[in-house]
Amino acid sequence: MHRRGTRDARKPAGRGRGAGRPAGDGLMIRALQDQIKQLIIDRGLQPGDPLPTEEELCTLLGSGRNSTREAIKSLQALDVVEVRHGYGTTVGSMSLDPLVNGLSFRVRHGLRQSLRGLHDLLEVRMELEAALIRKATPLLTEEDLDGLDQLSDELEEAARSGRPSVELDRRFHQIVYRPLDNALVLELIDAFWLVYQRGTLGRINDPIDAARWHRAIVASLRARDADAAERALREHFGKIPDHLAQLARTGEGKREESAHGTSSAGRTDPP
């Protein structure tokens, strides 16, 4: 028994998959990632363009197959490259998906302790949109405004009927900022929108209140009143903390039910 305990004590801790890899290996993989990214830039490759084969990359970079594969896998996770079995490796779309996934997890993980992460995200989103809506106000065409009016009608109808309106809200934001002709702005707006929706599971905004806010925004934009548009935006975002607090109370109630071994399943709420 004593020998067994001694033998166990000598076992290296955390010898799982990938554990025990020398720190230098990680530095080498990162260096290979940088070299592959530089190759993409130097050759002017665009999303969808093929990269050299694995064998060619090994020769070009002076690297081994395993290290090259590790570097490619890491770049695939960042959407820098795309590996398609049977087709080879191509340049990825370089989207903001990795940012969205990372922020979404961070916000949802933080909700177990507090709402601070969600509040921080909301503040960043509000300040970004408040500045951009002022620039977009004089640029929106009549066609854009008609489209926003149509979406406002659909949001109000969805609110009355209890239908989901998440995608309508997403399209609304895309139309508002599209005249800025800035692809990164549209991607960032959409990224923050996605993180917000995932973090709250779409349970934050009251549909009736959201529909009113969208209508007020459109009225301000039609009047080419950037001040009113920004004010309506900030007023809407200013109401969300109340919904956040309600979400927190709901979460606490669910945790209490779980702690007492009860749930809402099979229970009928009073009318």
Side-chain angles (χ1 to χ4, degrees), residues 30-267:
R30 284 195 290 273
L32 286 173
Q33 291 175 30
D34 290 340
Q35 288 179 276
I36 294 170
K37 287 188 285 188
Q38 190 61 48
L39 181 146
I40 292 171
I41 293 171
D42 291 343
R43 295 192 176 188
L45 300 180
Q46 300 300 313
D49 287 347
L51 265 68
T53 65
E54 182 181 283
E55 184 176 353
E56 291 170 337
L57 281 174
C58 290
T59 300
L60 286 167
L61 305 177
S63 57
R65 285 184 178 274
N66 289 340
S67 298
T68 302
R69 286 173 185 168
E70 287 288 333
I72 289 293
K73 286 180 182 177
S74 300
L75 291 175
Q76 183 178 20
L78 296 173
D79 209 13
V80 174
V81 304
E82 181 181 358
V83 179
R84 301 170 62 193
H85 296 292
Y87 293 91
T89 303
T90 61
V91 178
S93 63
M94 292 177 275
S95 70
L96 297 183
D97 286 351
L99 171 68
V100 170
N101 293 333
L103 278 177
S104 297
F105 177 76
R106 176 173 175 168
V107 168
R108 294 189 64 186
H109 178 268
L111 285 175
R112 296 185 65 88
Q113 284 77 42
S114 73
L115 295 173
R116 178 61 186 269
L118 205 49
H119 275 287
D120 290 348
L121 174 70
L122 180 64
E123 183 176 7
V124 172
R125 183 184 172 196
M126 178 178 70
E127 294 302 330
L128 176 64
E129 293 202 35
L132 292 174
I133 202 167
R134 298 188 66 88
K135 295 183 67 175
T137 299
L139 302 177
L140 288 157
T141 66
E142 284 301 314
E143 183 179 356
D144 293 330
L145 294 169
D146 289 343
L148 292 173
D149 269 328
Q150 177 63 36
L151 283 172
S152 296
D153 291 339
E154 293 181 37
L155 282 163
E156 289 172 352
E157 175 59 30
R160 286 193 295 268
S161 62
R163 289 186 289 106
S165 59
V166 172
E167 281 304 315
L168 296 175
D169 177 71
R170 186 178 191 175
R171 285 162 50 197
F172 186 96
H173 286 267
Q174 290 171 343
I175 291 177
V176 168
Y177 302 110
R178 189 170 56 196
L180 296 176
D181 195 25
N182 186 319
L184 183 57
V185 161
L186 292 178
E187 287 188 66
L188 279 172
I189 291 293
D190 205 46
F192 281 119
W193 184 91
L194 283 168
V195 173
Y196 180 75
Q197 291 297 326
R198 292 181 188 179
T200 63
L201 302 179
R203 295 176 296 176
I204 289 299
N205 291 333
D206 174 77
I208 300 296
D209 179 63
R212 279 198 302 266
W213 168 71
H214 286 84
R215 183 66 74 186
I217 286 287
V218 178
S220 301
L221 294 174
R222 275 203 176 278
R224 306 297 179 181
D225 190 337
D227 291 335
E230 180 186 351
R231 189 162 54 247
L233 181 86
R234 289 185 179 278
E235 285 175 357
H236 169 69
F237 279 114
K239 295 176 183 178
I240 293 179
D242 293 337
H243 294 288
L244 290 176
Q246 182 178 1
L247 177 67
R249 288 193 296 271
T250 301
E252 289 170 1
K254 288 182 178 179
R255 284 194 291 271
E256 287 181 7
E257 287 182 353
S258 178
H260 289 86
T262 61
S263 73
S264 58
R267 187 178 63 200

